[in-house]
Structure formats: C-alpha cells, structure tokens
Amino acid sequence: MAPLLNVIFTFSALCGSTVVSGILRGPRNVRLSSYNMDLVLSWDPPEGAAPNLLYTTGYTTNISLSHPYEDGCVNISALRCDFTDLNIPLSEYGKYTGRVRVQSATEHSDWVESNQITMDMNTIIGPPTVSLMSNGPTIEVSIEDPVFRISALRNAYSFITYNITFWKDGEKEKARSMSNIQQNRVVLSELDLWTKYCVQVQINTNWNITPSELSGPVCESTTSENTPWVAALVTFVVMAVVVIVVAIAVVYRKRMSYILCPNVSLPPHLKEQLMEPPSSFIYLAMLNSKPPEETYHQVSFITDGRPVVEEHPPEAAENSSSRQLDVTVNRGVHEETQIRIVD
Ligand SMILES: *[C@@H]1O[C@H](CO)[C@@H](O)[C@H](O)[C@H]1NC(C)=O
Ligand SMILES: *[C@@H]1O[C@H](CO)[C@@H](O)[C@H](O)[C@H]1NC(C)=O
C-alpha cells in the first residue's frame, strides 16, 4: 500500500495534477455554446487543480452516429475550444454535443460531456449594427445584420424581422416600438424638430428561441424642415452644372464659334445668284408700287329735301330735287362704297 501511495504522490508532483484514487479529476461546468453561429466548448478546471493542465476536446453531431466523437482541440491549456476555428464542416442546422478531458502524458481523466445545442435554434444572435441619418423632421434607420461565423443570418433563417425602439434622448421610459419590420431601412417620421432621438434594434427570427441582443443605443438629432445638407447638395449640383457648362464652352470654344460664324466661303455661283437683283415679279411689283392713295370726302346730308353734298361729286347737288341721291365715295384704290339715300 505504501509503495503505491508513493507512486501516486510522485506522479502528482511530476504532473501537477490532482489525483484521487489514481484517476485524474475531470473538468467542471462543461458547456457548449454558440454566438453568431460559432461553436465553442468551455469548462472550468477540476477542483483544486494545479495550473497548466492540458485538455483534449471532442464533438459529435447527431448525424455521425457510427463515429460518435471527432477530435476537437487536442492538448491545449486554454479553458475553451472554438470548433469553428478547426476547419470542421459545421452546419447551421446541426445538433452538437462536446466533451473534454484532462490530458497528461500518461493519464487522462474521464470525458465530461456538455449540453447539446441545435445551432439555428440556440445560437445567440448578436446585435445588428445601426446607423442613423437625420433629414429634417425624420430619421432614417439603417440596419446591418450581424456577421455569422458559418452561414449568414438570412441563410440560416427564412424569416427575420426587426424590432425598432426609439425615444427622445433622456425619456427612455416613453420609448415607442415598431415591430415586425422586414426592411433594413426604415424612416422614423413625424418627429419633433431639433430634437435628439435614440434608437435600439433587435432581430426576431422564425426559429431561434430568443431574439437577438439589443444594439447599443445610437442617437441623432432632427433638424429644421429644410436641412442644411439638402441646401448644400442643391448648391453643389448647381455649381457642378455651371462648372461643366463652362468647361464644355472652353473645350469646344473653337467648334462653337465655327458653328455660329462659319468662315467657309460660298461657292461663287451661289454668291452671284444671291447678289443679283431679284427678278421675281411679285417682288418687283412690291418695290415699284406706290403706297395707296387715301382720299377723304366730306359728306353731309340734310333731310329737308335739300341735301348739300360738298366737294364730290359736285354735280350731285344739282340733282337734289329728285329726292334720291347716289353717292359714291371713293376710298382709295381698292374700295368703293355706295350709299343710296332715299328720302
Ligand atoms: C497530446 O498529449 C499526449 C500526452 O502527452 C500525447 O501522447 C499526444 O500525442 C498529444 N497529441 C497531440 C496531437 O499533440
Ligand atoms: C420590441 O422591443 C421592445 C423594447 O425592447 C419591447 O418592449 C417589445 O416587446 C418588443 N416587441 C416585439 C414584438 O418583440
């Protein structure tokens, strides 16, 4: 009995392990977890263990029943093993269990098994990344999904929604929420002007048992109706257009002046034709015609049977006894008006 105890004590001193009845004690509190679709086994050292123990881990999936456990991290001193780092073909829909044991040169503890997890159901979804842009009395919320270690959020889950919570800075107890949002860009409207609002976003999936972690609050202030950046943008666009027009004018100055004032001489026969006096009959008639003469006649009528017609026609006055008067008023070249007056 004494020599055996001796051996055990010597061994214990050599390896720094705690030995109870010749068996290494196993790690405690072994748990398998997943964050953003990684797969991590972690544990605590055995009770009263010396530092610098080595551990060996393994994992199994419900698929590989014939070879229940595959090697994970081997002979490591860390208290965790990230299976995602090991180039193992993991599935976002897989069910996994891990195990770990204390490893020494000549001995090892029993395996200690972890809980089982189903990746898409149990992975903890990290917070989305949220950015805000204010535009007058509105704030646009842009949501970026967390990056998964294997697969991607929208591959792992067929349906995801965002729950957006927003409040006036300092009044979180009066926060409002918009849930079941499916777009990753949302405009918060009808906000107060010149007010700072804070936003937090959470992701809900159709399959994970818990919503994602909340994004850290991000805040942004609304401004006036006409935001400075809109004015700046308009100014910029106008300036850009002016610069482009000026640049085009400079570059194409020669071509433009050529188009506006061509320095090509006309063919001689065309020039001659253009210089010749016009022979068109109408044109000549227009040139030679005198402006039409306007003739005015003063006509007065008296109804007592003695009409007096002045100037023209002078003879008309002599026939006045006929009580019927024909007056022809010549009004220029083209018009004649006949007035017949019957008493
Ligand atoms: C782990 O350590 C044990 C004991 O020292 C050794 O037998 C084994 O070969 C080591 N394995 C690896 C992969 O280093
Ligand atoms: C959205 O988030 C708020 C704040 O975290 C919470 O009170 C509310 O219950 C959530 N709504 C849904 C549908 O998840």
Side-chain angles (χ1 to χ4, degrees):
M1 203 58 196
L4 181 60
L5 272 176
N6 241 344
V7 167
I8 290 170
F9 267 104
T10 315
F11 182 80
S12 170
L14 275 173
C15 303
S17 325
T18 307
V19 177
V20 176
S21 309
I23 300 164
L24 289 174
R25 272 210 241 172
R28 293 172 300 146
N29 203 11
V30 180
R31 61 241 175 229
L32 187 63
S33 63
S34 175
Y35 183 83
N36 279 344
M37 286 286 175
D38 66 2
L39 187 62
V40 173
L41 187 69
S42 44
W43 56 90
D44 297 333
E47 218 171 331
N52 308 322
L53 284 180
L54 295 182
Y55 303 92
T56 291
T57 66
Y59 71 95
T60 185
T61 156
N62 54 334
I63 302 161
S64 59
L65 289 173
S66 50
H67 293 96
Y69 274 94
E70 307 279 340
D71 280 346
C73 309
V74 175
N75 297 342
I76 57 163
S77 56
L79 295 176
R80 78 195 285 275
C81 171
D82 187 343
F83 294 114
T84 336
D85 286 340
L86 299 180
N87 211 13
I88 292 167
L90 297 171
S91 161
E92 66 264 47
Y93 309 113
K95 256 186 196 163
Y96 295 97
T97 309
R99 66 178 187 178
V100 59
R101 73 183 182 189
V102 176
Q103 184 79 49
S104 79
T106 54
E107 250 193 329
H108 54 72
S109 72
D110 286 336
W111 290 108
V112 181
E113 277 201 339
S114 75
N115 56 303
Q116 184 186 65
I117 69 166
T118 303
M119 292 289 263
D120 54 352
M121 202 161 86
N122 301 118
T123 193
I124 295 163
I125 302 170
T129 306
V130 177
S131 52
L132 306 179
M133 197 164 75
S134 77
N135 181 8
T138 67
I139 291 178
E140 186 185 285
V141 181
S142 302
I143 305 165
E144 224 177 285
D145 294 334
V147 176
F148 276 6
R149 285 292 298 281
I150 59 163
S151 188
L153 183 75
R154 284 174 188 276
N155 288 347
Y157 303 101
S158 55
F159 185 71
I160 73 168
T161 59
Y162 302 107
N163 181 2
I164 300 174
T165 304
F166 62 101
W167 63 93
K168 274 188 206 176
D169 193 23
E171 297 180 14
K172 195 168 181 186
E173 66 282 356
K174 291 189 203 160
R176 283 182 277 167
S177 283
M178 296 164 71
S179 50
N180 286 322
I181 303 291
Q182 290 177 44
Q183 317 86 301
N184 59 1
R185 264 165 204 275
V186 177
V187 173
L188 307 178
S189 53
E190 290 170 28
L191 304 176
D192 292 349
L193 296 175
W194 300 109
T195 307
K196 192 175 189 181
Y197 284 87
C198 298
V199 177
Q200 272 185 308
V201 179
Q202 199 170 31
I203 303 169
N204 288 300
T205 63
N206 53 335
W207 191 236
N208 200 293
I209 52 171
T210 52
S212 78
E213 293 176 334
L214 269 172
S215 65
V218 285
C219 304
E220 179 67 69
S221 291
T222 54
T223 55
S224 65
E225 291 285 352
N226 295 318
T227 54
W229 75 265
V230 169
L233 187 70
V234 169
T235 312
F236 175 80
V237 167
V238 168
M239 294 280 284
V241 167
V242 168
V243 166
I244 289 167
V245 166
V246 168
I248 289 173
V250 168
V251 170
Y252 291 98
R253 181 179 30 140
K254 259 194 173 163
R255 193 168 298 181
M256 279 168 74
S257 64
Y258 172 80
I259 289 167
L260 295 175
C261 342
N263 56 1
V264 190
S265 52
L266 288 168
H269 68 277
L270 252 179
K271 224 177 205 173
E272 260 169 44
Q273 260 183 22
L274 287 170
M275 299 312 255
E276 251 175 32
S279 50
S280 151
F281 171 76
I282 294 168
Y283 182 73
L284 287 177
M286 279 164 69
L287 273 186
N288 297 335
S289 71
K290 292 184 196 112
E293 265 173 45
E294 297 272 332
T295 331
Y296 300 97
H297 305 281
Q298 194 179 346
V299 182
S300 44
F301 306 102
I302 298 164
T303 54
D304 64 350
R306 296 174 51 91
V308 177
V309 179
E310 284 174 23
E311 285 187 35
H312 173 79
E315 337 57 87
E318 286 153 26
N319 304 335
S320 60
S321 54
S322 72
R323 295 191 168 242
Q324 180 177 327
L325 174 67
D326 278 341
V327 181
T328 300
V329 183
N330 189 350
R331 296 170 60 201
V333 185
H334 308 290
E335 261 185 86
E336 268 189 359
T337 306
Q338 279 201 345
I339 305 171
R340 167 162 294 183
I341 298 162
V342 180
D343 197 7

